Amino acid sequence: MTLLHNPVIRGFAPDPSMVRVDDWYYVATSSFEWFPTIPIHRSRDLAHWEYAGHVRGAVPGDSLAGVPDSGGVWAPSLSWDGERFWVTYSVVRSVGTPYFDLDTYVSTATDVAGKWTAPRRVASHGFDPALFHDEGRLWLLNLQNDHRPGGRRFAGIVMTELDRETLVPLGDTHLLLQHDRLIEGPKLLRRDGWYYLVLAEGGTGWEHGVRVARSRDLTGPYELDDRPLLTTRDDAEVPLQKAGHGELVETADGQWLLSHLTARPLHTPHGPRCTLGRETAIQRVVWDAEGWPRLAQGGWHPAVEVDVPTQPWNPQLPPASAHLDWPWSTLREYPDPSWADTTSRPGWIRLRGRQGPESRWAQSLLAQRITEHRAEAEVTVDARPRSFTQAAGLVLRYDSEAYLSLDLTWTEPEDEPQRGQQWRGGGRTVLSLVERDEEGARQVAVVDVEAQAPVTLGVTIDDAEARFWYVRDGARTPIGPPLDFSRLSDDYGSRLRFTGAMAGIHARDLVDASFTADFRGFRLVSRP
């Protein structure tokens, strides 16, 4: 047995879909507006996970330009038919409206790290699709969305048979189940003559859970279990909250596991906030005398420590790469040498400034996931901004309405007011600390720095506080007051938010995209 510690994939790894292939376990997670699309991790012992690749080409044209925050690639479902991996997912282009404006796709590969087939669009009733392979037949499950006035956005679970080669629908779409409580994220399995429908229940926030229904016939009717398989909605003190969106997987020796999402909230004066987003966890499952799945530890609350039936395994760290691969992520597109260059100045990353930090189109941003409540990031930046429209620096980002940034930029001489660029070639090179929330952006602090020298920037995160600093005369020098890092969370503000806090580097040039900034020694360390 191996003891795992949940979450097993930490920091912005939501909607896990787990599959076992021989001795390997694979998990695909949502990527939303971030690239690489659909990260996939793998493990032999369920306790230690390594990045194994991603579904490259999941988005037609490799662009999510214009997609709103927390839109993009939602809830991939990974499966294995004995010969190849299948993945189905939705690209969601509207958030917070009756219309999801989405397309559902299917892609396949013989190796998760290899070449995935070009995505093919299939019936797109709603988001959170899944595939069920049954005796050579292929079925697509989905949420049904009723966008009409008075309709229910979560109007039941539907299923359509697809031709395995063409993916064309075969026959009618079947309505499997409707329920008074919100249900989504369907997964289907067969065991002991029953078809089990595993559902996400209650929405992906504090009311989240996993509910199971079953039927003797594939197309129903399905009977709901009278109790949840997993939830924390009844106890705010459970350390792993928001537990839901599960998938049942059988081990090689006939035992059962449940992968699910969860979150580790910070308890702040404003209420609980999940800065790390939703993460991936695993539980052991047993079957009761009536044939329903139950958590091995009893009840329906997720356990932090779980014994799983595997042999310990230590993943090998990937070799250092000069390329901008994982753990780097980018917004709405892959990094491209036209704006993210690692060759012009060896040992440095050169970013060409493009649009601003609230753009949905073309940001020059590289970021990595923050995986613990205590973390530190730093980087050295070398740049020559000549206008307030040019800036480069270190950023903590959740989305376009929630970020903290410390940037090297230009401002007017001390005796001149801020009235826009005055085109006289003067001015000061400064560090500008900005915080952004739903009420807008505010400049928190400004400090003059030497115009022609690189400067090292840093931030220390301690639970809900972020303290920015820079290096002056060889010592760390604080800039501005501690800032509220908890605003960079799923739970701050009035909008739907589904991702997680990231730390990274960025550059902007709002006039002609000619300004460049060089970065060296980016370091992000997360500490339990």
Side-chain angles (χ1 to χ4, degrees):
M1 301 290 283
T2 301
L3 182 67
L4 65 80
H5 189 88
N6 281 315
V8 292
I9 305 176
R10 303 167 83 84
F12 181 17
D15 308 319
S17 177
M18 187 166 73
V19 63
R20 180 182 62 84
V21 179
D22 298 325
D23 294 330
W24 284 103
Y25 294 88
Y26 297 88
V27 163
T29 53
S30 294
S31 48
F32 296 96
E33 69 266 37
W34 290 92
F35 281 65
T37 47
I38 312 179
I40 299 175
H41 287 74
R42 69 176 186 175
S43 174
R44 286 189 184 274
D45 67 359
L46 298 164
H48 305 93
W49 292 80
E50 64 182 10
Y51 175 72
H54 71 280
V55 183
R56 189 173 185 97
V59 177
D62 282 342
S63 174
L64 287 171
V67 164
D69 295 333
S70 290
V73 180
W74 284 23
S77 180
L78 188 66
S79 55
W80 170 257
D81 68 357
E83 296 179 352
R84 53 182 169 163
F85 292 95
W86 296 67
V87 66
T88 183
Y89 53 93
S90 293
V91 177
V92 177
R93 300 186 182 276
S94 297
V95 177
T97 75
Y99 300 87
F100 291 105
D101 298 319
L102 58 82
D103 299 292
T104 296
Y105 295 100
V106 170
S107 181
T108 65
T110 56
D111 182 345
V112 296
K115 182 176 177 57
W116 288 83
T117 60
R120 289 185 286 174
R121 191 182 187 278
V122 294
S124 302
H125 295 279
F127 56 84
D128 289 14
L131 294 173
F132 177 53
H133 307 269
D134 188 44
E135 296 183 341
R137 301 171 75 180
L138 179 66
W139 300 84
L140 173 69
L141 294 102
N142 219 322
L143 162 75
Q144 178 178 245
N145 171 41
D146 187 347
H147 65 273
R148 297 171 297 177
R152 298 181 62 188
R153 298 182 74 195
F154 300 84
I157 303 302
V158 296
M159 183 175 69
T160 308
E161 185 175 8
L162 302 180
D163 182 277
R164 285 178 54 84
E165 299 304 322
T166 66
L167 301 184
V168 171
L170 301 175
D172 295 331
T173 293
H174 304 272
L175 178 62
L176 301 187
L177 183 68
Q178 291 180 315
H179 184 40
D180 291 339
R181 186 184 285 270
L182 184 157
I183 52 173
E184 57 187 326
K187 304 291 191 297
L188 196 58
L189 64 95
R190 188 169 66 171
R191 178 183 182 273
D192 291 347
W194 289 99
Y195 291 95
Y196 288 89
L197 191 58
V198 182
L199 303 164
E201 183 187 49
T204 195
W206 307 107
E207 295 296 308
H208 208 195
V210 175
R211 193 76 174 270
V212 177
R214 69 182 181 182
S215 173
R216 290 291 187 185
D217 296 315
L218 176 59
T219 57
Y222 279 80
E223 169 201 5
L224 271 170
D225 190 1
D226 61 4
R227 55 177 279 192
L229 170 59
L230 176 78
T231 190
T232 51
R233 66 174 69 102
D234 60 326
D235 189 347
E237 299 305 314
V238 176
L240 300 178
Q241 287 288 313
K242 299 184 179 179
H245 198 102
E247 185 158 15
L248 289 166
V249 174
E250 188 175 13
T251 68
D253 61 356
Q255 300 189 59
W256 287 83
L257 307 165
L258 176 74
S259 65
H260 65 94
L261 70 77
T262 192
R264 291 175 286 160
L266 290 172
H267 297 284
T268 78
H270 313 287
R273 290 180 175 173
C274 301
T275 55
L276 306 178
R278 296 166 301 153
E279 307 170 283
T280 293
I282 294 172
Q283 308 294 324
R284 281 189 60 211
V285 166
V286 295
W287 298 82
D288 70 12
E290 285 73 42
W292 292 104
R294 306 293 182 212
L295 297 184
Q297 66 267 25
W300 46 73
H301 293 162
V304 173
E305 293 188 338
V306 178
D307 278 316
V308 288
T310 61
Q311 295 297 316
W313 166 75
N314 291 315
Q316 299 298 311
L317 292 176
S321 172
H323 301 288
L324 301 177
D325 300 325
W326 188 270
W328 287 113
S329 291
T330 50
L331 276 173
R332 297 178 174 85
E333 62 179 329
Y334 286 107
D336 186 271
S338 66
W339 61 267
D341 174 15
T342 59
T343 60
S344 294
R345 188 176 180 184
W348 296 72
I349 298 171
R350 175 166 294 171
L351 296 184
R352 179 173 60 83
R354 297 185 296 165
Q355 296 175 0
E358 298 172 27
S359 170
R360 296 178 178 177
W361 300 90
Q363 287 196 45
S364 297
L365 167 72
L366 297 169
Q368 297 181 14
R369 285 159 171 77
I370 299 170
T371 59
E372 302 294 345
H373 290 132
R374 293 174 178 82
E376 188 167 271
E378 71 173 317
V379 71
T380 298
V381 57
D382 190 7
R384 308 290 181 269
R386 298 182 178 276
S387 163
F388 67 90
T389 62
Q390 300 173 343
L394 178 67
V395 62
L396 300 180
R397 180 184 178 89
Y398 187 96
D399 62 19
S400 64
E401 292 185 355
Y403 61 83
L404 310 171
S405 65
L406 178 59
D407 295 323
L408 188 68
T409 187
W410 177 98
T411 194
E412 292 84 357
E414 286 193 61
D415 57 348
E416 293 185 10
Q418 179 181 310
R419 292 189 297 186
Q421 174 64 273
Q422 298 177 32
W423 312 116
R424 296 198 306 217
R428 298 175 287 153
T429 300
V430 296
L431 292 177
S432 171
L433 180 60
V434 170
E435 64 175 349
R436 171 69 158 98
D437 58 24
E438 285 192 326
E439 297 179 359
R442 296 173 296 280
Q443 188 174 60
V444 177
V446 178
V447 172
D448 287 81
V449 293
E450 187 177 345
Q452 303 298 317
V455 59
T456 297
L457 314 177
V459 63
T460 301
I461 300 164
D462 188 359
D463 290 340
E465 285 191 347
R467 299 177 181 87
F468 282 85
W469 46 268
Y470 69 106
V471 175
R472 182 176 64 186
D473 299 328
R476 292 185 177 185
T477 302
I479 179 169
L483 301 181
D484 185 0
F485 180 64
S486 76
R487 294 181 179 181
L488 277 62
S489 73
D490 296 351
D491 315 293
Y492 174 78
S494 59
R495 286 191 301 105
L496 295 173
R497 288 177 165 180
F498 299 135
T499 56
M502 313 274 275
I505 56 177
H506 66 170
R508 66 178 180 268
D509 183 341
L510 306 180
V511 175
D512 61 9
S514 64
F515 167 72
T516 62
D518 293 347
F519 298 85
R520 181 180 65 188
F522 179 83
R523 178 180 66 89
L524 172 61
V525 178
S526 296
R527 300 183 179 91

